[in-house]
Amino acid sequence: MAKAPRLKITVINLLCLAVLCGATESPQYEVVHAESDFEIRHYRDATWMSATVNDLSFQKATLFGFHRLFQFIQGANMNYSRVAMTSPVVTSLVPGAGPLHSSAYVVRFYLPAKFQDSPPTPLPELNLKPYAWDSHHVAVRKFSGFATDDIVVKEAAKLATSLSLSPWANATSATHYTYSIAQYDPPFRFFGRTNEVWVDVDASRFAGKASF
């Protein structure tokens, strides 16, 4: 009996994630440095809606967090506003004891331009909060396939290795999050999937240089 609600949520979320196929808006950024296996991006100030999930599994946390976010964009807010789907869905890992030393995750949904300045207020039971993601730089490594718990750990380690062998070796920023995983595709897309590992970096020491 206990498995039924979990299965129901899983099916609902698979259907919810399907709307990623029609995603049109994404946060704006500029590539300021590129290597063969990673790049440095500068993201502008942006407002996201976030769902905190306490779970040891990255996959489960993303699933359950997005389920709450999907209810919000379908009108579960004080304005009864429908919010257009965007991409990517980003799951940030809070330092702790699980995969990538994390025991909690924050799943984020980028708000379309229409709601950037005045996000609808989520219904209290969804336990969502707007998040003002200030202008920042991130190191980004792309990878294909499905972002499973094991794959996320391996890809994050590869990015860490690449950074350690580059001029950005000592440029990672101290933030509340270890790594973030950006997912761009619905679950039923088996080929040509796009995922990314993000880690914040401090670009201040490169400021003023003609090329990063």
Side-chain angles (χ1 to χ4, degrees):
M1 294 297 292
K3 293 183 178 179
R6 184 176 293 272
L7 177 61
K8 182 178 180 181
I9 290 175
T10 300
V11 172
I12 290 174
N13 276 274
L14 288 174
L15 294 174
C16 293
L17 282 166
V19 298
L20 278 168
C21 284
T24 55
E25 288 191 52
S26 299
Q28 297 185 8
Y29 66 86
E30 175 189 6
V31 177
V32 298
H33 178 84
E35 298 281 350
S36 61
D37 53 355
F38 75 91
E39 64 187 24
I40 305 296
R41 297 176 185 169
H42 174 234
Y43 278 91
R44 303 179 184 179
D45 294 346
T47 304
W48 300 62
M49 191 60 66
S50 63
T52 299
V53 182
N54 293 313
D55 202 299
L56 293 179
S57 168
F58 161 82
Q59 291 172 270
K60 291 179 181 178
T62 301
L63 196 65
F64 296 144
F66 185 75
H67 176 63
R68 287 151 54 193
L69 290 165
F70 186 77
Q71 292 179 72
F72 162 76
I73 68 176
Q74 287 297 294
N77 54 72
M78 302 302 286
N79 308 77
Y80 302 103
S81 298
R82 296 289 290 264
V83 182
M85 188 61 201
T86 62
S87 67
V89 172
V90 176
T91 304
S92 296
L93 295 83
V94 181
L100 281 182
H101 306 292
S102 180
S103 58
Y105 300 80
V106 179
V107 185
R108 294 196 180 96
F109 168 83
Y110 173 71
L111 290 168
K114 177 181 178 180
F115 296 108
Q116 278 291 305
D117 295 330
S118 55
T121 302
L123 295 182
E125 57 267 30
L126 295 180
N127 193 24
L128 303 177
K129 293 182 179 179
Y131 178 76
W133 210 336
D134 295 333
S135 174
H136 62 291
H137 290 81
V138 293
V140 178
R141 174 185 171 82
K142 295 184 178 181
F143 64 99
S144 59
F146 287 91
T148 63
D149 289 347
D150 290 342
I151 294 297
V152 162
V153 173
K154 292 177 182 177
E155 293 297 330
K158 290 178 182 178
L159 177 58
T161 298
S162 296
L163 288 172
S164 70
L165 300 174
S166 77
W168 299 85
N170 300 311
T172 54
S173 300
T175 67
H176 295 298
Y177 308 105
T178 307
Y179 285 88
S180 295
I181 307 299
Q183 299 184 72
Y184 290 82
D185 301 299
F188 54 76
R189 177 172 294 168
F190 295 99
F191 303 102
R193 296 182 63 82
T194 300
N195 313 290
E196 295 170 344
V197 183
W198 296 0
V199 61
D200 286 339
V201 294
D202 180 7
S204 62
R205 65 193 183 102
F206 296 93
K209 293 186 178 182
S211 172
F212 281 19

